[in-house]
Amino acid sequence: MRTTRQPIGDALTVPGDKSITHRALMLAALAPGTSQVRGPLTSLDARSTARVLRALGAEISALRHGADVTVEGRARFSAPARPLDCGNSGTTARLLLGLLAAHPFEARVTGDRSLRHRPMARIAEPLAQMGATFEPPAERLPLAITGGRLRPTQWTLPVASAQIKSALLLAGMAGDVAVMLNEPAPSRDHTERLLRRFGYIVEAGEGVVHFAPTGRLEPFELDVPGDVSSAAFVAAAGVLGGFEVAVEGVGLNPGRTGWLEVIARMGCPVDVESRGDAGGEPTGTLVVTPTLLRATDIAAAEVPSLIDELPILACLAARAEGTSRFHGLAELRVKESDRLTLLAENLTLVGATARVEGDDLVVEGSDVPLAGIVGTEGDHRIAMAFQVLGLAPGCAITVDDPGCADVSFPGFAATLADLEARR
Ligand code: S3P
C-alpha cells in the first residue's frame, strides 16, 4: 500500500462545475437580456439543462468544450411544445420543476430510465403546497406540472438535499414569494450565493434558510470554477497511482469539500494553494502527495458535504490499512443508480471485501490485486471511481460503460490516460 513518490507533473484542470453550470443557465434563461457563462460544464447533464431551457424560450449558444456560453433570457418561460427531457440529470429535473411551478402552463417533464426511477415526491409535495399541481400526483417522472400564482411556504426538508432546497428557492424567486426552509444539515449553497447577487435576501444558519423576494434577475457574466467532484477523481488517481498531482482552479464551496477532510484523516492531506474566487465561490489549486492510506469512519453528518465523492472514497478505502465504515448512506440508493448496493457489489466483484449493513457501507482495505469488469449501470461516478481504482499497483479493472463519464466529466478518458502515464 505504500506508494513511491514521483515528481509532480504539469497541473491539471477539470471541467466546469456541474451544479453551478445548471444554476447559471437557469438564472440566465430568466434574466431578460444577454448573459455570459464562462468556463461552463459542457457535459451531457449540462446539455440537458440547455435543451430544456431552449424548449422554454431561452436562446442558448452551443455547449462546446472550451467555449463560453451566451444566453438570451426572457423574463418568463413560454409553454413548451414537447415534453422536457432532462436526460440523466436529477438536478435539471428538480430545479426545473421549481421554476415551472411559477409558470401558468402545463409542462411535461421526463428523463432517461435512471432518472425515471428517482424520487420526485420530495419536490412535488412542497411545490404542490405552494400552489403547483401535478398529474399524476408525482412520485416519479414522467409527470406533468401546471404552475401558477404561488403562496409563500415553510417546509421541512426530509433529507439534506441541495436539489430540494434549490427547487424551492427557485420557486420562491420565480413566483415572487417568501420561502422558509428547515434543513436537517447544511448542503451546498450555490443557489443561495447566486440569488444574493441579484438582491434577493437569503439568510442561512441554525438549520434554517430564509428567502425573501427582494431582488430581480438581470443579465450577468459568471466564471464557473472547476468541479471539485471531478477533481476528487484526479486527486484519488494520484493517491492510488503513487504520484503527486495538482489540480488548478477548483471550486471549494464548503458544502462540497468534506472529502478533503476524509482523505486527510486517511493519512493524505491535500494542500490548497493559490486561493482565489470565481463566480462568488472560493477556489484554489489542490496539491496531493500520496502516502500510505489508513481506514476511517465517515459519520452520517458528513455525508451531505461529500455525497458525490462516496464512490471514489469507497474505492480509496479498499486500498487503505484497516476497515472503514461509511455511516448513513440511505441517499446513495437514489442517485443515478443504487450506488450503495453497486459499490458493495463491484468492490466484491473485483476482489475487495465490502458489504452493506443497514444504510452503512463497510469496506475492508487490503493490497491484494483487484481485477474484473465492473457493471456501472450507466452511472458516471461508479464508472470513474473504478477506473481510478484500476490505477492502483497490481490492479486490472475495466468498466462496462466508460463513456458514461460524459454525464459530468467530458474528456475523462484523456485525463485518465494522462494520469496513467504519470504512474
Ligand atoms: C446537486 C445536489 C446533490 C448532488 C448532485 C448535485 C446539486 O444531490 O448529489 O450531484 O447540484 O444541487 P442531492 O441534493 O439530492 O443530495
Side-chain angles (χ1 to χ4, degrees):
M1 274 178 278
R2 187 175 289 283
T3 50
T4 325
R5 177 151 166 196
Q6 302 288 334
I8 194 161
D10 290 343
L12 291 162
T13 55
V14 286
D17 188 275
K18 181 155 82 68
S19 294
I20 297 172
T21 299
H22 287 307
R23 289 157 170 81
L25 293 177
M26 288 182 185
L27 293 178
L30 284 173
T34 310
S35 293
Q36 271 260 308
V37 184
R38 291 189 288 253
L41 181 65
T42 58
S43 73
L44 294 179
D45 269 10
R47 286 169 194 220
S48 291
T49 289
R51 179 174 61 243
V52 298
L53 293 173
R54 287 188 192 109
L56 290 163
E59 287 174 37
I60 303 178
S61 63
L63 268 61
R64 274 197 300 266
H65 178 65
D68 297 337
V69 170
T70 304
V71 182
E72 292 291 334
R74 311 205 328 211
R76 305 299 289 167
F77 288 152
S78 44
R82 291 177 305 282
L84 301 168
D85 180 0
C86 301
N88 191 247
S89 177
T91 311
T92 306
R94 293 183 173 134
L95 272 53
L96 182 73
L97 288 171
L99 294 173
L100 290 171
H103 286 81
F105 51 74
E106 184 187 87
R108 305 188 72 78
V109 180
T110 190
D112 72 5
R113 219 163 78 92
S114 152
L115 188 53
R116 291 198 309 268
H117 276 90
R118 297 180 66 183
M120 291 295 152
R122 52 178 61 189
I123 303 289
E125 278 174 22
L127 292 178
Q129 177 178 285
M130 290 177 81
T133 54
F134 290 86
E135 190 52 50
E139 292 287 329
R140 312 241 182 272
L141 301 184
L143 57 82
I145 175 173
T146 305
R149 186 180 291 277
L150 297 182
R151 295 181 281 275
T153 197
Q154 185 280 323
W155 191 256
T156 299
L157 272 55
V159 289
S161 161
Q163 291 181 355
I164 307 177
K165 176 179 66 175
S166 299
L168 301 184
L169 293 176
L170 292 176
M173 187 258 328
D176 245 352
V177 292
V179 174
M180 177 82 90
L181 302 174
N182 298 89
E183 47 175 6
S187 58
R188 64 191 72 189
D189 66 349
H190 305 302
T191 308
E192 295 89 311
R193 287 169 186 258
L194 284 169
L195 288 175
R196 287 187 197 114
R197 284 170 72 117
F198 301 102
Y200 293 101
I201 291 173
V202 194
E203 292 162 346
E206 314 271 311
V208 176
V209 180
H210 170 239
F211 168 86
T214 46
R216 202 167 61 136
L217 290 185
E218 307 274 5
F220 59 92
E221 295 184 2
L222 188 90
D223 291 308
V224 180
D227 195 313
V228 68
S229 301
S230 299
F233 294 109
V234 178
V239 177
L240 292 171
F243 49 86
E244 279 197 359
V245 66
V247 196
E248 285 175 341
V250 179
L252 296 173
N253 184 291
R256 305 274 299 276
T257 50
W259 67 273
L260 293 174
E261 284 156 40
V262 170
I263 68 168
R265 281 206 307 267
M266 294 177 85
C268 184
V270 176
D271 289 331
V272 182
E273 297 175 357
S274 309
R275 286 184 188 270
D277 62 81
E281 300 273 349
T283 61
T285 297
L286 303 182
V287 182
V288 184
T289 309
T291 53
L292 183 70
L293 288 177
R294 54 177 179 267
T296 191
D297 270 9
I298 295 184
E302 291 180 282
V303 167
S305 70
L306 45 75
I307 184 76
D308 293 333
E309 288 66 64
L310 288 161
I312 190 61
L313 290 172
C315 287
L316 286 172
R319 299 313 274 174
E321 186 109 60
T323 301
S324 296
R325 183 177 277 271
F326 296 62
H327 294 265
L329 304 192
E331 274 298 292
L332 264 203
R333 297 185 197 274
V334 291
K335 291 295 178 186
E336 286 82 332
S337 66
D338 174 351
R339 284 185 183 157
L340 180 53
T341 305
L342 212 50
L343 277 170
E345 281 178 3
N346 279 316
L347 285 169
T348 307
L349 180 147
V350 297
T353 304
R355 60 188 176 276
V356 177
E357 289 182 1
D359 289 335
D360 295 355
L361 177 67
V362 180
V363 182
E364 291 176 24
S366 81
D367 51 11
V368 299
L370 303 175
I373 304 172
V374 160
T376 60
E377 294 186 9
D379 185 326
H380 55 130
R381 297 198 202 280
I382 297 287
M384 291 188 281
F386 280 91
Q387 287 181 90
V388 168
L389 180 56
L391 296 178
C395 294
I397 297 174
T398 51
V399 304
D400 64 354
D401 182 8
C404 67
D406 283 352
V407 161
S408 64
F409 196 149
F412 179 71
T415 299
L416 192 68
D418 178 338
L419 293 166
E420 262 167 350
R422 295 171 186 231
R423 281 190 298 171

